[in-house]
Amino acid sequence: MSEQFEQGKAAIGGWRAIVTDLAHCVRFYSRLPVPTLPFERDAHGLPNFTRVVRVIPLGGLVIGALPAVLLGLALVLDLGPWLAAMLAVAALVTTTGALHEDGLADVADSVGGSTREKRLEIMRDSRIGSFGAAALFLGLALRVGALATLASRLDAAAVMAVVLVVACLSRTAGLIPLVFLPPARRDGVARAVGQPARETFWLAAGIAGGIAVVLGALSGLPPLGIALMLILSGLAGLALSGFAARHLGGQTGDVIGAAQQVAEIAALIGLLTTVHP
């Protein structure tokens, strides 16, 4: 009896840890109003990414929920695929506080730096330069364009599932620099949140892949398209990691944000190549 009680207590503690990590994840990645849980010790501190990584795919689903619903509602109201896609991307940007877009712009601006130190200094500058502005415009245009074209070729339920899958996969792929590269700075958010174990990352990748396969199959997405979303989002994260290793000597929070953006674009375009009019 005592042994069963201890097992039950451990199970409850495990679920509490998962829910707490999910709450920290959603707070960190978005502006969504997540209430303080009764069993949380530090509700508004930086999340510990050595643990939080395992729930990143679930956090992506939470963050993508409102944009997906908004997209589906716009399509049902016959507002057209382009306006629906713009509303969905606007909701994503608003929900996350443009966290990832800021990272993409800062990494793009750093291209103008002549040395590693100068590039890191540029990335810390709150001002946006021409490279950053161009990257922001192109990133938003590619996301809206790909999503709008998908919305014109798929039914509302399927394209809502796409938003959820991409939100899940891209945030998981965005962790690749954090897991496989050392911090580029001695301070900064990327060092403060900790470096996850590779085993934990592969667990998260497996969960994200499972979510993509299940949601994709239920919504009728082509199997090849699902496979390309998985492969290309991962390759995009790896490519951004390789660039950061050569360009900066490691990763920063901006690099992680940029990796999420390129992974999202790659996943959308990969699916689009298999969905024909």
Side-chain angles (χ1 to χ4, degrees), residues 2-209:
S2 173
E3 184 178 345
Q4 291 176 342
F5 176 77
E6 291 299 325
Q7 290 176 348
K9 188 176 178 181
I12 292 172
W15 279 108
R16 283 184 174 180
I18 291 172
V19 172
T20 300
D21 287 342
L22 180 57
H24 284 168
C25 171
V26 174
R27 289 193 196 102
F28 181 79
Y29 275 101
S30 77
R31 300 292 180 88
L32 294 174
V34 181
T36 301
L37 302 175
F39 40 82
E40 280 189 280
R41 294 181 179 177
D42 184 11
H44 300 288
L46 278 175
N48 182 348
F49 269 69
T50 60
R51 292 196 331 267
V52 165
V53 161
R54 59 184 176 169
V55 298
I56 290 289
L58 302 179
L61 289 180
V62 174
I63 291 168
L66 178 61
V69 170
L70 189 59
L71 175 64
L73 182 60
L75 292 173
V76 169
L77 293 174
D78 202 22
L79 298 183
W82 281 93
L83 182 55
M86 284 189 278
L87 288 171
V89 172
L92 273 168
V93 173
T94 303
T95 299
T96 61
L99 177 67
H100 311 299
E101 289 80 5
D102 178 69
L104 178 64
D106 285 344
V107 170
D109 272 335
S110 73
V111 173
S114 56
T115 65
R116 173 182 176 274
E117 291 71 23
K118 183 64 176 176
R119 292 163 192 156
L120 290 172
E121 181 184 341
I122 289 171
M123 290 169 68
R124 273 198 163 152
D125 193 333
S126 60
R127 294 169 295 181
I128 185 169
S130 55
F131 285 122
L136 269 180
F137 173 78
L138 291 172
L140 290 169
L142 286 168
R143 291 160 69 196
V144 170
L147 193 57
T149 308
L150 285 167
S152 69
R153 299 179 183 180
L154 297 169
D155 60 40
V159 78
M160 287 172 66
V162 170
V163 173
L164 292 173
V165 168
V166 169
C168 173
L169 289 179
S170 64
R171 279 160 185 80
T172 306
L175 293 170
I176 292 175
L178 179 65
V179 174
F180 293 96
L181 295 180
R185 296 190 181 100
R186 294 184 179 180
D187 57 353
V189 173
R191 180 177 286 274
V193 298
Q195 188 168 35
R198 295 186 181 184
E199 294 79 6
T200 309
F201 168 75
W202 290 121
L203 172 63
I207 294 171

